[in-house]
Amino acid sequence: MGFAGAGHDGLRGSRDETDIATLNRALGPLTLIHLRREDLVAQAVSWSRAEQTGYWQQGDEALRRPHENIDQMRQLLETVRQHNQAWESWFRSQGVSPHEVTYEQLVGDPGAVVEGIAARLRIALPPGWQPKSPHRKQADEVNENWALALRTSLAARPL
């Protein structure tokens, strides 16, 4: 990554300054939260479907009908793996231990995730606070079928 000479006002670091030092100097002390997904196959399937339909989140309108595309899902799975490795490498190079959260934790127990983040930030949540979100999980039987097909493909021909 590297911000030195990146041309962003406030993010010019010296060659001797780490990225995290540059960010802390420009923005103040940071606490990083790393949100990732444990089930990378499901992530690749969701990404493929969103790319094909244009439906990324609740409120979007699907522009096209999706079709199972194993090659696309395999490519996206490899991209997800590369992105995860790049983040892990960056965190190590910066000496940063982010607060780790998985998508599965967030979906399974959003209150516990928010409480964990608040604790890391040393912020007290209001008494009786409960998480509320208008969003719902989008995965359905199509995702399940595509994930099974991708897992079968990976068993026959690993990446």
Side-chain angles (χ1 to χ4, degrees), residues 55-67:
Y55 188 93
W56 292 89
Q57 62 187 354
Q58 194 170 330
D60 288 349
E61 188 174 322
L63 305 173
R64 293 168 295 285
R65 291 182 55 86
H67 64 280

Side-chain angles (χ1 to χ4, degrees), residues 23-115:
L23 289 169
N24 280 322
R25 183 176 41 74
L27 303 171
L30 299 177
T31 298
L32 300 180
I33 300 167
H34 182 206
L35 175 62
R36 63 178 178 77
R37 195 154 176 180
E38 290 175 356
D39 187 346
L40 303 186
V41 166
Q43 184 176 355
V45 165
S46 294
W47 189 359
S48 175
R49 190 169 177 184
E51 285 283 347
Q52 290 180 35
T53 63
Y55 188 93
W56 292 89
Q57 62 187 354
Q58 194 170 330
D60 288 349
E61 188 174 322
L63 305 173
R64 293 168 295 285
R65 291 182 55 86
H67 64 280
E68 185 180 293
N69 184 332
I70 295 294
D71 289 336
Q72 181 187 42
M73 290 186 287
R74 288 175 68 93
Q75 289 172 356
L76 292 171
L77 177 59
E78 182 58 27
T79 300
V80 168
R81 287 178 175 171
Q82 290 171 358
H83 288 180
N84 286 346
Q85 289 171 353
W87 277 112
E88 291 299 327
S89 175
W90 186 80
F91 292 138
R92 273 192 312 278
S93 74
Q94 299 301 305
V96 173
S97 295
H99 181 76
E100 297 281 345
V101 175
T102 68
Y103 168 83
E104 290 80 2
Q105 290 168 331
L106 186 58
V107 169
D109 193 351
V113 168
V114 172
E115 288 169 5

